[in-house]
Amino acid sequence: MNLRRIEAFLAVADARNISRAAAQIEVAQSVVSRHVAALESQLGCRLFERTGRGVALTQAAERLAPRLRAAIEEMQRATGEAAEIGNEPSGVVRLGVVPSAARPLVGLLHQRLAARHPRIALQFVEGFSNPLEEMMADGRIDLAVVNRFGRMARRGEEKLCTIDSMVIGAPGAFRPGQELSFRQLAERPLVLAMRPNALRVALDLPSKKAGVQLRVAVESDSLLIMKDLVVQSGLFTVLPRLGVVGNSAIMNVEPIFALVLAWAVLGQAIAPSQVAGGLIVVGTVMWLGLRRR
């Protein structure tokens, strides 16, 4: 049974309100509703009835909630005991990573884990932050390295590092030592990721403050395509420093970018050894990030 669905169900059962439950576990209200609906479909019965002020538990939910809480508590005790025993961690850990952080993080992480914990198998998924967070919510990946622009880490996340964002142009696009204002950036044709995208949202605020509208010539959800359009078509883009291609001219802008490690143990019946494996991956990612500061 999907643990995220159980977490959403128990949050709604406690709060008697879907919006308050969403705030409690720090996910979108639509995600909570989707998890509850999926659990109801899986069980073949309704768990909540809507009321004027929120929701009321059905008889099935009244019986289910205390038993699921007890099961979660038992699982937490079991994982704690397994960690104390110190058995060799094993299992599959599914890691999502934004393209700008994939290199060199993926290679370094694999090398370190293969040497120290050979029984942990890694599965990497590359994508922008919003799709990765959806995959986290749906239980398709276990943890993710995502972008946070000017925001603190959310519950269940650890800040990995802060990285400058850069305006990227083809070789020769900028003079040595040239400074670029936001208004000047708005005059240039841009290739940016499609909405909803964390960087697009982060660029909206200074656009409104400056009273300008960015010239978005092309939208793409592929970092490779964005870089190619910069080099081949004379477009510009904004990327984290880690995502800058080696032969591109670059201009520094205000550092509004923070990579955040967001992790959670998700999915079906996960063994304690897999939980320990996930924790090891989290620790290794953080160690690699701190080492590069």
Side-chain angles (χ1 to χ4, degrees):
M1 185 173 287
N2 189 295
L3 295 180
R4 281 297 188 192
R5 295 175 185 174
I6 296 175
E7 181 186 32
F9 163 69
L10 292 177
V12 176
D14 289 338
R16 299 294 202 277
N17 183 283
I18 292 179
S19 61
R20 286 200 296 269
Q24 176 185 327
I25 59 177
E26 297 186 354
V27 298
Q29 184 173 335
S30 60
V31 173
V32 173
S33 298
R34 187 165 66 246
H35 283 326
V36 171
L39 186 58
E40 288 179 330
S41 177
Q42 181 179 358
L43 298 175
C45 64
R46 290 191 62 81
L47 297 173
F48 299 103
E49 298 290 349
R50 293 192 176 275
T51 66
R53 295 185 177 181
V55 296
L57 278 68
T58 64
Q59 186 176 8
E62 290 282 4
R63 294 182 179 181
L64 182 62
R67 300 179 70 174
L68 286 181
R69 286 194 190 93
I72 293 294
E73 292 172 359
E74 178 59 29
M75 185 186 70
Q76 291 171 343
R77 284 193 295 270
T79 54
E81 293 171 2
E84 292 176 0
I85 294 174
N87 290 334
E88 177 66 23
S90 63
V92 176
V93 178
R94 300 163 296 177
L95 173 64
V97 59
V98 288
S100 57
R103 182 180 180 188
L105 176 63
V106 167
L108 293 173
L109 178 60
H110 175 263
Q111 291 174 12
R112 185 173 175 84
L113 283 176
R116 298 193 175 190
H117 305 284
R119 296 182 61 190
I120 296 178
L122 290 173
Q123 292 181 352
F124 291 106
V125 177
E126 186 180 76
F128 287 129
S129 296
N130 282 30
L132 290 180
E133 292 186 68
E134 285 292 322
M135 294 179 73
M136 285 277 292
D138 291 340
R140 286 175 284 165
I141 58 176
D142 303 312
L143 55 142
V145 177
V146 298
N147 300 332
R148 294 280 180 255
F149 292 86
R151 294 185 293 173
M152 298 296 291
R154 299 174 182 173
R155 185 175 71 91
E157 298 180 347
E158 293 289 343
K159 181 176 179 179
L160 179 59
C161 57
T162 301
I163 302 172
D164 289 346
S165 295
M166 318 296 292
V167 179
I168 316 300
F174 304 112
R175 300 186 307 273
Q178 178 183 355
E179 294 184 358
L180 195 69
S181 69
F182 196 85
R183 285 185 176 274
Q184 290 173 320
L185 172 66
E187 295 171 356
R188 287 165 165 75
L190 298 171
V191 51
L192 295 175
M194 293 182 285
R195 289 190 176 92
N197 173 269
L199 177 57
R200 290 292 297 272
V201 174
L203 290 173
D204 285 342
L205 181 58
S207 296
K208 292 179 180 178
K209 286 185 177 180
V212 298
Q213 184 172 356
L214 296 177
R215 290 178 55 195
V216 181
V218 180
E219 294 181 314
S220 174
D221 277 346
S222 166
L223 186 61
L224 289 176
I225 290 176
M226 293 169 69
K227 289 180 179 180
D228 190 64
L229 286 170
V230 167
V231 175
Q232 302 295 332
S233 301
L235 300 182
F236 296 80
T237 191
V238 179
L239 293 173
R241 180 184 291 272
L242 285 178
V244 177
V245 64
N247 63 350
S248 291
I250 59 175
M251 292 296 296
N252 206 354
V253 296
E254 181 182 0
I256 58 174
F257 184 97
L259 277 182
V260 172
L261 175 68
W263 70 276
V265 178
L266 305 172
Q268 308 293 325
I270 297 176
S273 59
Q274 287 180 280
V275 176
L279 294 175
I280 288 172
V281 173
V282 171
T284 304
V285 171
M286 294 182 66
W287 178 86
L288 291 171
L290 292 171
R291 193 182 69 169
R292 294 182 60 82
R293 285 186 177 181

